[in-house]
Amino acid sequence: MTADARIDGYAAAILEFAKAEDELARVGDELFRIARSFESSNELRDALTDRRVPVERKQGIVADILGDKVCPLTINMINFVVSAGRAGDLPAIADRLAERAAAARDKVIAEVRSATKLDAATEARLATALGRATGRDVELKTVVDPSIIGGIIARVGDVVIDGSVTSRFQELRETLNRR
């Protein structure tokens, strides 16, 4: 089984569980946010992917971190992935789940990274603008990423729109280095 097929399989299973419990939107959103935290925390990623750490300890870490911040089904789905030894695939599984859930609603996912949390009005304007730019109905997933300093980076499928301050600094640096 290829990695893509395995990731698709986990995403499909979680999608069916979440649909059956009528928690698809919530579980999908929570897994997406947890996956972004997983990507940005070396300590968390190392703890959940270390083969020397027993599964029970890994599940304890998940419970300690998430506690009552997410619904029990989300914790169960993460524990399902962790106990199968696939914690390293968690971000890809969460992304695939979000894509499948959005596709079921005839939408595409737009991941928007910003240095600070966006307010609801800004998110609505972004969703409208990205929908116009792509010709698709867009479901926005936001990620706070202070490393981009300011502006936003939007990704819809393979299309990336980089309006970040970090990108502007990089362009300026390259321009100055050419002189």
Side-chain angles (χ1 to χ4, degrees), residues 4 6-19 23-33 35-36 73-74 77-78 81 89-105 107-109 139 141:
D4 270 353
R6 184 178 56 241
I7 289 166
D8 272 338
Y10 280 99
I14 293 170
L15 179 84
E16 292 306 318
F17 276 111
K19 278 172 52 178
E23 292 275 4
L24 181 57
R26 183 174 181 181
V27 170
D29 188 56
E30 290 174 348
L31 281 177
F32 183 84
R33 286 186 286 120
R36 302 294 76 85
L73 183 59
T74 299
M77 294 298 104
I78 292 170
V81 172
D89 292 334
L90 188 58
I93 293 168
D95 288 346
R96 197 70 48 91
L97 172 66
E99 290 168 6
R100 284 174 168 259
R105 295 186 300 272
K107 293 184 176 192
V108 293
I109 296 294
E139 182 174 315
K141 298 284 188 189

Side-chain angles (χ1 to χ4, degrees), residues 34-83:
I34 293 163
R36 302 294 76 85
S37 296
F38 184 85
E39 288 175 330
S40 66
S41 171
N42 291 337
E43 186 178 3
L44 177 60
R45 191 174 44 253
D46 290 347
L48 295 183
T49 59
D50 189 334
R51 293 180 187 265
R52 297 169 297 176
V53 177
V55 169
E56 296 77 20
R57 177 67 191 127
K58 292 176 183 177
Q59 292 175 340
I61 292 168
V62 170
D64 288 347
I65 292 172
L66 299 177
D68 59 356
K69 297 175 188 163
V70 299
C71 73
L73 183 59
T74 299
I75 291 177
N76 290 340
M77 294 298 104
I78 292 170
N79 285 337
F80 167 65
V81 172
V82 168
S83 68

